[in-house]
Amino acid sequence: MIPQKVRDIMNEQIKNEMESYYIYLSMVAYFHSQNLEGMAHWMRCQAHEEMIHAMKFFDHINDRGGQVVLKDLKQLKTGWASPLEAWKDTLEHEQFITAKINDVMGVVRESKDYAAEPIMNWFVNEQIEEEANATKILEDMKRIGDSKEGLLMIDRELAARVFPAGSPLDPVAYAAAT
Ligand code: OFO
């Protein structure tokens, strides 16, 4: 049985991961509006990953006899002054999520909930990758300054990210499934 404190903070973390999904989906819309199709594609893949993160917590609570309680998501930011600003927000958001994951790990350890340590170790490692990805793209964006050619290059590079198989956010996958 999952300890109540762990269940409660994991339910809160489902909300945080769903907000990540929703924020990144909002950025997908923004990048499409700027004709930055590579960035929009990269963010679609990222949004998909966030849904997976939420579901990992969802299933962990369920598998251990706890009840999942979905909470309201906060009002979204729907526009950015520039692509650079969107990437700054991405890194800041991932730093926020890292702090939240550390909070969950703290409660798991306080509760001596050893059954939850493997999944939390996975999330601690995942956040290293999440911050590293966002930092690299942000640094590239800063490096190109106002260069249109530079922006095009980064956009093309980000178009190469591969969707997880069968993603509902991958237009090719959902066209094939319906
Ligand atoms: Fe779920 O890692 Fe990003 O937010």
Side-chain angles (χ1 to χ4, degrees):
M1 190 77 182
I2 191 166
Q4 193 176 326
K5 270 182 149 183
V6 174
R7 182 204 62 190
D8 289 349
I9 198 163
M10 284 191 176
N11 267 323
E12 193 63 28
Q13 193 58 25
I14 291 174
K15 177 184 81 87
N16 294 331
E17 301 291 345
M18 288 302 289
E19 282 181 355
S20 302
Y21 165 79
Y22 213 36
I23 288 162
Y24 292 148
L25 200 54
S26 188
M27 286 186 189
V28 170
Y30 166 71
F31 287 135
H32 278 309
S33 78
Q34 301 298 302
N35 295 314
L36 291 166
E37 300 304 326
M39 292 190 184
H41 168 82
W42 194 97
M43 271 302 171
R44 275 180 184 245
C45 297
Q46 186 59 33
H48 176 100
E49 270 199 26
E50 299 302 349
M51 178 70 84
I52 293 172
H53 294 171
M55 292 313 293
K56 275 180 180 276
F57 282 112
F58 190 107
D59 288 335
H60 183 83
I61 295 171
N62 260 332
D63 288 348
R64 298 183 63 208
Q67 189 184 343
V68 170
V69 180
L70 298 180
K71 297 167 191 288
D72 287 352
L73 305 184
K74 74 166 178 248
Q75 176 62 45
L76 275 184
K77 184 166 173 177
T78 52
W80 287 266
S82 65
L84 177 66
E85 188 185 286
W87 289 108
K88 277 186 186 154
D89 278 5
T90 302
L91 178 57
E92 238 171 64
H93 184 72
E94 286 307 327
Q95 289 165 338
F96 165 78
I97 292 295
T98 299
K100 293 294 178 187
I101 290 292
N102 290 344
D103 289 347
V104 181
M105 182 59 118
V107 171
V108 163
R109 292 221 165 140
E110 253 172 50
S111 311
K112 296 190 180 357
D113 184 17
Y114 302 115
E117 287 220 9
I119 190 177
M120 291 318 301
N121 282 328
W122 186 90
F123 273 104
V124 168
N125 281 319
E126 176 69 5
Q127 281 313 117
I128 295 173
E129 190 188 312
E130 296 281 76
E131 285 196 32
N133 289 341
T135 301
K136 186 193 173 298
I137 299 168
L138 179 58
E139 287 309 310
D140 286 350
M141 289 295 292
K142 285 183 185 161
R143 200 166 294 126
I144 62 163
D146 291 331
S147 160
K148 289 203 169 73
E149 294 78 9
L151 187 62
L152 193 63
M153 264 181 60
I154 295 177
D155 193 57
R156 295 238 163 107
E157 192 186 310
L158 296 184
R161 186 169 179 182
V162 177
F163 265 114
S167 172
L169 299 179
D170 175 2
V172 177
Y174 69 63
T178 50

